Amino acid sequence: MRKLLLAMTAALATTAMTGLAHAQMEKVKACFIYVGPIGDFGWSYQHHQGLLAVEQALGDKVETAYLESVPEGADSERALERFARSGCNIIFTTSFGYMDATNKVAGKFPDVKFEHATGYKREHPNVSTYNARFYEGRYIQGVIAATMSKAGTAGYIASFPIPEVVMGINSFVLGAQSVNPDFKVKVVWANTWFDPGKEADAAKALIDQGVDIITQHTDSTAPMQVATERGIKAFGQASDMIKFGPETQLTSIIDNWAPYYIKRVQAVLDGNWEQVDVWAGMKEGEVVMAEYTNMPDDLKAKAAEIEAKIKSGEFHPFTGPITKQDGTEWLKAGEVSDDGTLLGMNFYVKGVDDQLPQ
Amino acid sequence: MIRLELTRRPQHSALFSLVSPLLALALTLLAGVILFTWLGKPPAAALYSYFIEPLTEMWSLHELAIKAAPLIIIAVGLCVCYLSNNWNIGAEGQFLMGAIAGSALPVLAPQFANGATLPLMILCGMIGGAAWAAIPALLKTRFNANEILTSLMLVYVAQLFLDWLVRGPWRNPQGFSFPGTITFNEFALLPELMPASGRANLGFVFALVVAVLVWFLLTRTLKGFEVRVLGQSPRAGRFAGFSPAKMTVFAFLVSGALAGLAGISEVAGAVQHLNEKLSIGYGFTAIIVAFLGRLNPLGAVVAGLLLALTYLGGEAAQISLGISDKIARAFQGALLFFVLACDTLIIYKIRLSFGGRRATGSV
Amino acid sequence: METWVAILLTVTTAATPLLIAALGELVVERSGVLNLGVEGMMVMGAVTGFAGAQIFGDPWAGVALAIVTGALFSLLFGFLALTLATNQVATGLALTLLGIGISGMIGEKFIGIPGLRMEPIFVPGLSDMPVVGRLLFGQDPLFYISIALTVAVVWFLFRTRAGLTLRAIGDSHGSAHALGIKVIRIRYLAVMFGGACAGLAGAHLSLVYTPQWVENMTAGRGWIALALVVFASWRPFRVLIGAYLFGAITIMQLHIQAMTLSEMTFLPGAIYALAAWVKSVPAQFLSALPYLATVVVLVLISRNRRLTMMNTPAALGRPFVPDR
């Protein structure tokens, strides 16, 4: 009874606030569309973990459905429309390439809420965008790498030169340079998000050139396995890969979409869903660091300390003075980068041993 | 030991032309019942969402047309190739090159936006596809190089070329470095047929028109006769004064131009800008469509719609019953196997024979 | 020197699955059959190889299961394309679709599990030799199998009567049939051999290359194997060279990316210039090179009719139905 009352007050309050008659719902249908198979143990897998968390958290108040391996062209628009027509109340479109389709279908179905991951277009009031500040974790990785590395060089397996990836490399380098200003990062572009064989080859190439720490911005666990085989240390990506390298993984940046997904589905239930553009990070629990392992305790403590500072907002990885690779000044001392620059980042900071493919 | 023996029928069996698809359907349904029961899904409901549900709503029929159009257009061109004994399996590359050539105008000269834009794009798309197809054709006629393999290799080259373009010189400057060109202006888009009920566009009309035109060409013209004669017996064709080399070039140009048309129609229709994800195997799937349609352009229309249906049905089954994409894909593969197998009945008589009483020379 | 050995080891790992799958397809094509389902059979081998190793706790069990699965799976293709004389191109493509679907279904339970690695075999004494020791005598077992397989295929095709028969069928099934050769039976065996090899190649991926199972982990290697067969103009030793060349190009490209120009100054002038050039051209262009090279090779061997007659299976892709 009390719950009901509370809910009713909440609903009233919302109605009053937005001036719209958002109805509360008994049950919500939450739908997810993935670009890869849920068995990729990377990007799509982690989004699917988010779906499972929503089921767990909301129990019989939620019904879910998902479509996997949906190509990002004409097919995605059809898939979204089928979702919208099949009674989905909220649809999460979990790849950048779904951006145009999401906005188009959202225009046709104003009553359905759309949540587009990693995009920047919100052409209708029922489209939100969300992303995670993975660069926060990469800064910590950089600190750890520079402390642990004897060679003074880390290897970075990158996918494609889009801002997300470039931002990650820069953040990693800045973290490393905070420990060792001469620290070097070798970058290899695998030109794929997911090809275990090629990622393994890239890791081997980097190790053969003398790096003794591997980090990756591609999805498979293959680099971790190679690092294990060669007896060096590595960072995981997207999920906790400790099983693939119990004595190798230093930590991993885990894409934890669960808190956001639960919050947004709950908002639809409560009738107070509103358009947002969220770029959440460690503070919100969206970027989670796997347990710090295979390193000395004082380094663990240092990493945890930086993590705490990032969470509290006391520290931002992109705080000046920062010089660009070409020697020009980007940020003055104490200046913090705005999000817009980060989201469109197409330059390296000083110290990256690579030429950004254009 | 029981074995199957094939005997070529003197002519295609009209009876089995009708019975074969029904038999294939029956086998597919049976396999579906077994598969879904084994997986613990209600078989009737699963088969309903797979084959019927996508056909019950108007918008979904539009989507069927969108998905089928490129498959049909490419397959129709491939019919000409395969009937004339030219094995072009690089339609995927020709599709992409058509898309690229046709997109050049709206990407490089977006200010050129008027009534001539779209026709020019389509023309460029067809030329692009035909030019890419001309390479394996000329390599075959000039150097005797196997066209199956050259056309396949050129698919990879086209994919990489597209990838380079949309990540490099043609990248949308406002696109935050993500791969992909600018969105086309409205004059560069294919008009929708019935915007009120769905987003099917002119591409589907193209599909129907080329199917009828090529059907007419193949069955009612001298050129069509030439295609058939050279396809069945190059020697006989030569006696009749036909040139196999010229036919190779002709067939590749036709199928390349049509693949290019499919490519530019896909970009200007459903996708509306060029990106590296354009290639999802239409050119390869169309090969299956061409054979399912028994190398008849009108048959390709039916086969294209059927294959498009399996994609839509796979999604519907995923949403309504949680049947995974992998199962849908495997089921699609099984369906193709049944249809291909049953079509054997049209050309051949199948006889079961028992060990020991084998006719000499049989295998 | 150490570095070069390590690089070459990486190349062998990348080349071995391509070599094994391509050798299988070579035998299939020599018999006059074109099976475009290599990718599908390979991914089936990858998943069953992984599953076998997990279930029986021994990578060899995985290898055996992958070989058997590949061969059985190829029978589906065989039944349609050989017994029912369906079009080989369409049937092969359908086989790939089916393989990707089924492997995903089988593999669902095995996602996110670290796999069993097939350990390298060190030949006592020999593997300690400088440079060649590790390269020749300290590799994973499938490497030795791939080399032995190359030799065996050469021997079989060009030194045995059965091999001659197989090639005769590939050149002209009509004449072979007239001579009383059991065309379809031999083609069945060839197709199964191709399936077994593709299965083994898949097992290499999930047990040696990257010991894990993830969906679609073959990532197009089956298609590359198909290209290699042509590049090699249907000669087994050239398949070996082609596979290693392809592996080497891929690996060197990664190495050149990871190196800065200043680190490369120790290289001799010509190689330095080449490396600098490679660094400056788009990655897509380099990736396209092997395919363009295949086309060029094909043109070169085809323009000489005599060479073509010797190497190209003339009946490739054409269905055969015995007349009575």
Side-chain angles (χ1 to χ4, degrees), chain B:
Chain B
M1 191 179 166
I2 305 172
R3 55 181 62 231
L4 291 172
E5 281 175 8
L6 301 187
T7 326
R8 189 177 271 277
R9 294 176 193 276
Q11 62 209 37
H12 288 195
S13 160
L15 172 67
F16 277 104
S17 295
L18 289 174
V19 171
S20 153
L22 297 177
L23 186 63
L25 184 65
L27 286 171
T28 308
L29 293 180
L30 184 68
V33 169
I34 294 169
L35 177 73
F36 296 127
T37 313
W38 177 59
L39 292 164
K41 307 280 179 190
L47 290 170
Y48 175 82
S49 35
Y50 205 91
F51 289 113
I52 312 289
E53 197 184 313
L55 302 176
T56 54
E57 285 170 293
M58 195 59 198
W59 77 273
S60 185
L61 292 175
H62 276 264
E63 295 296 332
L64 190 70
I66 289 178
K67 185 81 188 171
L71 294 175
I72 295 170
I73 298 175
I74 302 171
V76 165
L78 291 178
C79 288
V80 179
C81 262
Y82 297 164
L83 282 174
S84 66
N85 216 359
N86 286 296
W87 298 97
N88 175 11
I89 62 169
E92 179 79 1
Q94 294 140 26
F95 172 87
L96 293 176
M97 287 316 249
I100 292 170
S103 302
L105 187 62
V107 171
L108 299 177
Q111 68 283 2
F112 182 84
N114 54 47
T117 309
L118 192 60
L120 275 175
M121 285 165 64
I122 290 172
L123 186 68
C124 290
M126 293 178 76
I127 292 173
W132 201 242
I135 300 173
L138 294 177
L139 292 180
K140 182 183 182 185
T141 54
R142 294 289 300 278
F143 302 113
N144 194 31
N146 184 325
E147 77 276 19
I148 296 184
L149 305 156
T150 48
S151 61
L152 178 63
M153 294 303 110
L154 289 172
V155 172
Y156 304 118
V157 178
Q159 282 171 345
L160 289 160
F161 181 59
L162 171 67
D163 195 75
W164 172 72
L165 273 182
V166 299
R167 288 183 195 285
W170 284 15
R171 191 176 60 194
N172 177 4
Q174 264 85 53
F176 293 92
S177 302
F178 282 99
T181 66
I182 53 168
T183 303
F184 293 177
N185 62 66
E186 57 181 313
F187 289 100
L189 299 179
L190 283 183
E192 293 185 353
L193 295 175
M194 291 177 279
S197 58
R199 62 185 182 117
N201 56 49
L202 210 52
F204 190 64
V205 176
F206 290 163
L208 297 181
V209 170
V210 298
V212 171
L213 284 180
V214 173
W215 173 81
F216 185 82
L217 173 97
L218 287 174
T219 55
R220 300 284 186 275
T221 66
L222 182 64
K223 196 74 188 169
F225 177 70
E226 192 186 329
V227 168
R228 286 168 188 284
V229 170
L230 282 171
Q232 274 158 16
S233 164
R235 232 169 97 82
R238 248 181 250 122
F239 283 130
F242 302 142
S243 154
K246 277 188 188 150
M247 177 49 68
T248 298
V249 174
F250 171 78
F252 267 87
L253 287 182
V254 169
S255 75
L258 290 182
L261 172 66
I264 188 58
S265 303
E266 183 71 1
V267 185
V271 184
Q272 311 196 338
H273 72 283
L274 187 65
N275 66 33
E276 86 290 5
K277 303 280 173 59
L278 187 70
S279 145
I280 48 167
Y282 282 120
F284 292 114
T285 314
I287 296 175
I288 302 179
V289 170
F291 282 102
L292 288 188
R294 297 172 195 154
L295 302 186
N296 177 333
L298 301 182
V301 175
V302 179
L305 287 168
L306 173 72
L307 215 70
L309 178 63
T310 63
Y311 283 102
L312 268 62
E315 279 163 18
Q318 265 190 81
I319 295 178
S320 55
L321 293 162
I323 287 167
S324 77
D325 175 62
K326 306 157 248 283
I327 299 170
R329 204 62 64 84
F331 187 54
Q332 189 185 33
L335 169 84
L336 297 175
F337 268 87
F338 288 129
V339 178
L340 286 171
C342 289
D343 267 9
T344 299
L345 291 170
I346 301 168
I347 312 177
Y348 301 104
K349 266 191 201 130
I350 295 186
R351 219 179 43 196
L352 282 178
S353 82
F354 299 90
R357 292 194 290 125
R358 250 184 301 146
T360 46
S362 74
V363 191

Side-chain angles (χ1 to χ4, degrees), chain A residues 186 189 201 209 221 225 229, chain C residues 209 211-212 255 257 263:
Chain A
K186 283 181 179 292
W189 295 96
D201 290 341
Q209 289 199 16
T221 50
Q225 287 182 312
E229 203 186 311
Chain C
Y209 206 155
Q212 54 177 305
H255 270 279
Q257 273 198 49
E263 285 173 310

Side-chain angles (χ1 to χ4, degrees), chain C:
Chain C
M1 217 63 233
E2 282 288 297
T3 315
W4 288 105
V5 173
I7 292 173
L8 287 173
L9 278 172
T10 314
V11 173
T12 46
T13 313
T16 302
L18 299 176
L19 173 60
I20 298 175
L23 281 173
E25 179 68 12
L26 183 141
V27 171
V28 179
E29 291 189 15
R30 276 283 185 176
S31 81
V33 179
L34 179 65
N35 183 357
L36 292 187
V38 181
E39 179 85 1
M41 300 187 295
M42 203 164 162
V43 77
M44 285 296 285
V47 73
T48 50
F50 188 90
Q54 287 294 318
I55 294 165
F56 299 105
D58 183 353
W60 283 106
V63 167
L65 194 62
I67 292 174
V68 172
T69 308
L72 288 179
F73 195 60
S74 72
L75 274 182
L76 268 179
F77 171 86
F79 179 69
L80 262 79
L82 302 177
T83 300
L84 296 181
T86 58
N87 178 270
Q88 294 173 6
V89 171
T91 312
L93 291 171
L95 191 76
T96 291
L97 273 181
L98 196 65
I100 290 173
I102 296 181
S103 65
M105 286 163 67
I106 299 175
E108 252 165 323
K109 284 193 223 89
F110 300 108
I111 288 160
I113 304 174
L116 292 176
R117 178 182 296 276
M118 195 160 233
E119 292 303 331
I121 296 173
F122 292 94
V123 181
L126 293 177
S127 63
D128 296 332
M129 286 198 302
V131 190
V132 293
R134 182 71 212 282
L135 272 180
L136 296 180
F137 305 107
Q139 295 259 26
D140 65 86
L142 298 191
F143 163 78
Y144 302 115
I145 291 178
S146 73
I147 302 297
L149 204 59
T150 314
V151 178
V153 169
V154 172
W155 174 78
F156 168 78
L157 282 178
F158 303 107
R159 294 279 180 276
T160 68
R161 203 179 159 71
L164 182 69
T165 311
L166 183 110
R167 285 187 291 137
I169 293 171
D171 283 336
S172 165
H173 44 224
S175 322
H177 176 64
L179 289 171
I181 296 171
K182 297 189 188 322
V183 173
I184 302 252
R185 178 180 296 179
I186 292 173
R187 283 191 171 167
Y188 256 109
L189 292 173
V191 165
M192 283 177 70
F193 177 76
C197 286
L200 179 62
H204 181 277
L205 293 182
S206 64
L207 294 171
V208 177
Y209 206 155
T210 52
Q212 54 177 305
W213 162 252
V214 273
E215 276 178 48
N216 299 351
M217 71 182 289
T218 43
R221 287 184 179 73
W223 296 100
I224 294 171
L226 274 164
L228 276 176
V229 178
V230 187
F231 175 79
S233 50
W234 295 274
R235 310 283 289 195
F237 272 126
R238 293 191 201 153
V239 166
L240 179 104
I241 294 166
Y244 277 76
L245 210 58
F246 195 90
I249 290 175
T250 318
I251 304 298
M252 287 324 290
Q253 201 182 323
L254 295 169
H255 270 279
I256 289 172
Q257 273 198 49
M259 263 190 221
T260 55
L261 283 176
S262 54
E263 285 173 310
M264 285 191 243
T265 41
F266 75 94
L267 291 165
I271 298 181
Y272 175 80
L274 183 71
W277 175 77
V278 166
K279 254 184 120 60
S280 67
V281 297
Q284 293 93 342
F285 180 75
L286 290 174
S287 307
L289 272 184
Y291 303 110
L292 288 170
T294 305
V295 173
V296 172
V297 167
L298 199 65
V299 168
L300 289 179
I301 59 164
S302 306
R303 58 188 305 192
N304 182 330
R305 294 237 168 219
R306 196 181 59 82
L307 271 179
T308 319
M309 298 289 274
M310 271 172 60
N311 289 321
T312 315
L316 188 61
R318 308 197 196 292
F320 172 69
V321 178
D323 287 324
R324 236 167 299 273

